[in-house]
Each structure stands twice: as C-alpha cells, then as structure tokens.
Amino acid sequence: MRKILIVDDEKNIRIGLKSMIEREYKNQYEIHLASDAFEALDLIQSMDIDMMFTDISMPEVDGIELIKSIQAFDKKPTVVIVSGYDDFSYAKAAIRYEVKDYLLKPVIREELSRTIERIEEELMRREEVKDKLASSAYQQEEYKETQLNFYSTHPLAEPEEVRGKLTQLELQWLDNGFRVLVVKYAGDLQTIGTDLFRARVKGVLDTAELSLNSRIVRFFNRIHHAVILIEGVYSFDSLANMVLNPEHNLILAVSGPNFGMEKLRAGYEEAVQALKYSFLRSTPSMVLFDDIRDKNAQYTIPADKIRMVANMLGSGREKEMQKNLYEIMDFNEISRYDIGYLESLSRTFNELVFDHVFQMYGKESVDLLKRYKAVGDPYNFTYFQEYFREVEGLLMLLNDYIKTLKSAQIDNKEMKAALKYIHENYTKNINMTIISNEVSFNYSYFSQAFREYTGENFVNYLKKYRLGKAKELLETTEGKIFEIAQKVGFENTKNFNRVFKESEGVSPVEYRNQKKVWMTYRK
C-alpha cells in the first residue's frame, strides 16, 4: 500500500485533505500527517513516503525549505504544493525542485484526484522500469545505450577512444558509411508517455529489420528522442517510409553521409540540427541535413521593433502592437535563414518583452508563469504556428494584465474596498481568494495590485493588522491569551504565540507584563 504524507500547520487542512483522499480512494493509501517540516522529515526518514502534499507557509521551516531538504534523500516522495495563495518565487522554486503540481486552497476534489492519478501512473511506470532493470539482458542494453549517448555528444573524446569503445560494441560497420536518424514524437510526449513512444519505435524497427539489407542500432537520447544508426549512405529511404507512417505520428531528421566510427558525434549533431527545421513544417515529415546545411546565416534581429512592442503593452494600442508582432515573427522571413535566426529572435523577444514585463508586473500568477516558461524555448512546441499562437496569446494577456493594474492604480477603489473588508472581517478565516471575489477583481491582478497599493503582500498585511489588534487587547483587557488569539483571527494559540514572538521578539504574555510595568512606572 502506498504512503501519502500531508504536511500543514493547520489541523483542519490536514484532516480535510485526509478525508477527501480516503473517500475517493478507500483503503488504497496509508495516510500520515505532520504539523511542521521537522515532523515531516522524521516520517520521510523512517519510512518510504510515495507522495507528499505540503503547505508553503509553516512555522520555523517553510514548505520550500522542506522540499529542498529532501533532495539529497535516496528515495524522495513525489511532491505537491498545497497553498492558500500563488506566488512567483514559490512557483520558481517548485519548478526547480521538480514539484509535480501546485494546488490552491481551498482544494477542489476533482483537481486533487487528477493529481493523485497522474502521480500514480508515473509511480507505476517507474516500478515497471525497475523490474526490467533486474534482468541482465536489459542491463546490457542500458549499458550500450549509455555508451552511445556519451560518445555521440562528448566533445572531448579522442578518436582512438571512440573507436575502441564502439569496437567493443561491435559497431565496426560504421567504417563502411552510415547515417544518423533522429526520431521524435510529433506532439506532447507526456500525453502518450515515453514507454509507449519507445515501444512504437521498437515496433517500427523490428518490422524494418526483416526487410532491410543494412544493419541498424538504436538508442534513446536524454530528451527521449530515438536515435538510429543505419549502415550505408543510401539505404535509409525504406526505413524512413516506415517511420513516417501517419499512424505513428513521428518526425524524422537524417544526417549527411559519414564514414568511420569516430564520426558518430558529427553525424549525430547533423541529425539534431536537421531536426530543428521540422519546427518550420506543419505536419510530421522528414528533414535531411543535406537540404539545410547551406542555409543563410547572415541576418539582423529587429531589436528596435521588439522594444516598441514592449513599450506598447498596456497602452491601448493593441492593433499596432499585433501588427509589429506579425512583422517580427513573419514566417516567410524566418524560413529564409538558418534556424539560428529563429532562436536569436525568440531569445531577444523574451529578454526585451517577457522577461522585462515579468520583472515588473508578473510575479503573482502561477498560470502566467507556466506560459512564460513555455515560450522561453520555441522547441517546447512541435511547430512554429503553435509557438506563435502562444506568444501572441501571452502578449495579449499581459497587455490586459498591465492595463488592469494601471487602471486599479489610478482610482484604487478596489484596494480601498479590500482594506475595508479586511478591517471589518479580520477576525474571520479570510484569504486572498475570498477578498478578490468580494471586490470583483481577478485573483492574479488583485495580488499584484494589493502589493503595489500597500507595499506588502496580502498575507503579511493581514498578519500585521491582526497583531496590531492583538496588542491593543493585551494592553487594554485582561482576556486570556487563547481568547485574544481567537478574537483576532488566529486558528490556535500555538500559531498565535509563534507569529507574535517572530514579530515582537517576546511572547504575548511577556508583552502584556512589560506594558503593565511601564504603565505602573508612568504613574
């Protein structure tokens, strides 16, 4: 039975998530609970935890530090963040530490179920691979794949070393001439999974070997592309036709002719370079390095026009901005040049537009961050048109985003209403989702606008306001500490004491006693 760990300093959240999982997956998971990072680390070290759902904001050690702490563990759980608000810095850390998902509170049952099922599928695939590794034949195949991966990409390997290693792998036939074929899935590989892709390529090659007069060997590179070495320089056509069967939905790139084992890396680089040009096609097809080796590399990036697009964001000049974008990303112009033009164009556009905007405005939205990360590399998309649509879509979203922020900063009526709501309801269990809905403001826009207006993020502002009210009650009433904690909106006394001491340097009791001494002294 798999083990799930739920880490949150709020008891109700822990119990709520546990109940949701138990109702949906009765008797399928052993669920453990932890109220802070220290308790969580003890549990992870004492047993094999498969999935961990953790809050970000916790006492002493927050969720990001917890995730960072488990990276060195031999067996670490798959991590999902469950947080009451989304934040750019947290999302960046989540991406860095390969967090599987980022769920916002209150957690929706369907989203939780989808996340668990995705993780379950991945864990099952890992177990299948682990079982395969137990077989000696599979280990030998893995060794061969590792060596071919290394010597096809290692720039410093001496020719004698390459020849010696490939001779051990019985690849002397490369001396007779060969081509390198690189095969990728024409779509999102995650939708079918790497195992199915590998099986599909293996099926094609098993069929091909029955009719080919040439020897072939295949391996998979580190980004899950299939790499095929085929004997001879004219014998790839029939294999290419099998690969490009529409049922397989595969893209193929073919190197130029190469002779000699020591030419493995050169042939591989040619095929990889040719594969980039498939991005400029619209359907799965074959690209030959022979056809693109002499592409024009003399180009100039229109940096001034790109800066104009950045300057127009939020100005109400959408049509003019789109016209410039179409001219910058003109497909016919891009197709005239070496693929380096597209890569430089994308990099410059990211630096002058998207990077600049996100540094100034876009640090509050996880959804925008995901799209921003995607357009950072054109090859995250299969074809140019997909990439262009995402660039245009993100640009228009950011344009609306900035317009809304500017409008909010002019009259600030939403922010004033939000502060009024906080001041009237701070004793209740409120969060940014509730308040953004109350003032009819988009959640992501609200987060940034609130910070701009108050100088602080929502969580810190609410915490300081509650502490201010708590200090008033400590100074003017004889109420018990737990009563004061409840009156100002804290879930429990322990959390109240911790937050108060972090802010004031002393506990609530010490603070009250100091004020009493001071008042007596004044009298």
Side-chain angles (χ1 to χ4, degrees):
M1 183 179 290
R2 297 201 197 283
K3 296 181 177 64
I4 291 178
L5 174 60
I6 299 170
V7 190
D8 200 303
D9 61 331
E10 296 186 41
K11 183 178 179 181
N12 290 341
I13 298 295
R14 297 196 300 271
I15 300 300
L17 281 175
K18 181 174 184 290
S19 299
M20 288 171 70
I21 295 171
E22 287 177 338
R23 281 197 300 271
E24 190 73 16
Y25 305 97
K26 190 173 182 180
N27 299 324
Q28 290 188 40
Y29 295 102
E30 180 180 322
I31 301 176
H32 298 266
L33 306 178
S35 60
D36 57 35
F38 299 112
E39 191 176 351
L41 287 170
D42 288 341
L43 286 169
I44 294 170
Q45 289 173 321
S46 65
M47 65 181 73
D48 289 337
I49 299 293
D50 298 290
M51 306 179 205
M52 180 174 76
F53 294 81
T54 181
D55 189 18
I56 292 289
S57 180
M58 294 190 295
E60 298 186 58
V61 176
D62 66 20
I64 294 298
E65 284 301 314
L66 168 60
I67 296 167
K68 183 178 179 182
S69 298
I70 67 173
Q71 297 307 304
F73 290 8
D74 291 334
K75 187 179 186 307
K76 56 179 183 281
T78 301
V79 178
V80 176
I81 288 175
V82 182
S83 180
Y85 55 96
D86 55 352
D87 185 278
F88 182 83
S89 60
Y90 292 152
K92 284 201 303 186
I95 292 167
R96 184 165 65 250
Y97 294 121
E98 299 180 346
V99 170
K100 190 55 62 179
D101 211 339
Y102 196 118
L103 302 178
L104 289 175
K105 298 176 184 176
V107 175
I108 299 171
R109 180 176 58 82
E110 289 79 9
E111 291 183 355
L112 177 64
S113 297
R114 283 196 294 270
T115 296
I116 290 176
E117 286 163 12
R118 281 199 302 271
I119 295 172
E120 184 67 38
E121 289 175 6
E122 182 174 319
L123 292 174
M124 289 176 68
R125 286 197 296 270
R126 287 182 192 172
E127 289 170 353
E128 289 172 4
V129 171
K130 187 176 180 181
D131 291 340
K132 289 178 183 177
L133 286 171
S135 104
S136 174
Y138 191 81
Q139 288 179 339
Q140 290 176 5
E141 188 68 22
E142 282 289 292
Y143 173 75
K144 186 175 185 179
E145 183 162 306
T146 300
Q147 294 302 306
L148 286 170
N149 254 311
F150 179 80
Y151 287 105
S152 64
T153 58
H154 199 307
L156 301 179
E158 295 292 336
E160 295 79 8
E161 179 187 351
V162 176
R163 179 166 286 276
K165 182 58 65 176
L166 297 189
T167 298
Q168 290 178 16
L169 299 178
E170 300 180 346
L171 295 178
Q172 297 93 324
W173 51 265
L174 296 178
D175 287 339
N176 303 327
F178 67 96
R179 289 190 189 247
V180 181
L181 285 64
V182 175
V183 183
K184 68 173 285 189
Y185 180 66
D188 184 359
L189 187 57
Q190 291 184 349
T191 60
I192 66 166
T194 55
D195 289 342
L196 181 57
F197 170 66
R198 285 176 175 242
R200 187 171 293 180
V201 172
K202 184 178 184 300
V204 171
L205 297 184
D206 288 347
T207 303
E209 283 186 300
L210 298 175
S211 57
L212 287 175
N213 295 321
S214 303
R215 285 171 284 193
I216 61 175
V217 64
R218 62 112 180 105
F219 61 97
F220 291 87
N221 65 18
R222 290 174 177 81
I223 54 175
H224 308 297
H225 295 159
V227 183
I228 304 165
L229 312 181
I230 184 167
E231 182 180 22
V233 297
Y234 302 109
S235 55
F236 63 88
D237 285 342
S238 58
L239 176 57
N241 289 333
M242 294 182 189
V243 169
L244 293 174
N245 184 323
E247 293 180 2
H248 300 144
N249 199 29
L250 301 175
I251 291 170
L252 175 65
V254 183
S255 75
N258 285 273
F259 295 86
M261 288 184 278
E262 66 277 4
K263 295 293 186 179
L264 171 62
R265 177 169 170 263
Y268 175 76
E269 289 184 342
E270 288 176 358
V272 169
Q273 183 70 1
L275 185 64
K276 292 181 178 181
Y277 286 82
S278 69
F279 182 74
L280 301 177
R281 307 287 176 87
S282 57
T283 57
S285 57
M286 176 173 64
V287 182
L288 300 178
F289 181 75
D290 296 338
D291 294 338
I292 57 93
R293 68 167 75 237
D294 297 322
K295 276 281 190 177
N296 184 0
Q298 303 299 315
Y299 51 78
T300 301
I301 300 298
D304 289 342
K305 186 162 286 189
I306 294 173
R307 288 191 186 92
M308 288 174 62
V309 169
N311 294 335
M312 290 177 188
L313 281 167
S315 66
R317 298 163 67 186
E318 287 82 3
K319 288 186 178 179
E320 189 176 351
M321 185 172 66
Q322 281 185 305
K323 178 177 179 292
N324 281 331
L325 176 65
Y326 296 156
E327 291 175 359
I328 292 166
M329 295 288 181
D330 180 6
F331 179 78
N332 292 327
E333 186 72 6
I334 289 171
S335 301
R336 290 179 52 215
Y337 295 107
D338 176 86
I339 200 71
Y341 176 62
L342 169 68
E343 294 168 343
S344 297
L345 192 65
S346 172
R347 185 166 54 251
T348 305
F349 200 91
N350 288 334
E351 291 172 357
L352 298 183
V353 181
F354 292 140
D355 291 355
H356 174 69
V357 169
F358 270 83
Q359 287 168 8
M360 293 183 62
Y361 300 105
K363 300 181 179 180
E364 303 299 328
S365 172
V366 172
D367 179 57
L368 286 177
L369 172 64
K370 289 177 181 176
R371 299 185 69 167
Y372 166 58
K373 181 174 180 287
V375 299
D377 182 355
Y379 301 120
N380 286 331
F381 305 86
T382 305
Y383 301 117
F384 173 81
Q385 291 303 326
E386 296 173 0
Y387 164 70
F388 176 78
R389 283 195 297 269
E390 187 65 11
V391 168
E392 183 180 23
L394 180 57
L395 191 69
M396 299 315 293
L397 271 177
L398 291 175
N399 180 66
D400 292 343
Y401 185 33
I402 295 169
K403 278 172 65 176
T404 304
L405 285 177
K406 288 180 177 179
S407 174
Q409 290 168 8
I410 291 172
D411 56 32
N412 290 314
K413 64 179 181 180
E414 290 89 356
M415 293 304 103
K416 291 172 183 175
L419 292 185
K420 183 174 183 291
Y421 187 87
I422 292 172
H423 299 165
E424 293 175 353
N425 296 276
Y426 69 92
T427 62
K428 301 175 184 176
N429 182 20
I430 58 175
N431 56 43
M432 198 161 65
T433 301
I434 292 172
I435 297 177
S436 61
N437 288 336
E438 182 68 25
V439 298
S440 301
F441 213 74
N442 178 280
Y443 181 92
S444 299
Y445 299 162
F446 176 83
S447 179
Q448 178 67 18
F450 188 91
R451 189 194 295 267
E452 294 282 345
Y453 185 64
T454 65
E456 296 194 77
N457 66 39
F458 171 80
V459 172
N460 284 340
Y461 183 90
L462 178 59
K463 179 175 69 176
K464 288 184 177 181
Y465 192 80
R466 283 172 168 168
L467 288 175
K469 292 298 182 181
K471 287 191 287 185
E472 288 180 15
L473 293 174
L474 287 168
E475 295 173 17
T476 60
T477 74
E478 294 298 325
K480 292 181 170 56
I481 299 301
F482 79 89
E483 293 174 337
I484 291 175
Q486 290 177 348
K487 283 183 178 179
V488 298
F490 282 89
E491 180 190 6
N492 55 61
T493 308
K494 179 182 176 182
N495 188 37
F496 173 60
N497 284 328
R498 175 185 62 80
V499 172
F500 193 98
K501 191 169 184 179
E502 285 177 356
S503 174
E504 304 300 321
V506 294
S507 70
V509 172
E510 291 170 326
Y511 180 86
R512 171 179 272 170
N513 290 337
Q514 286 179 355
K515 290 297 179 181
K516 285 182 178 179
V517 171
W518 184 73
M519 292 296 292
T520 302
Y521 175 77
R522 287 191 64 188
K523 291 177 181 178

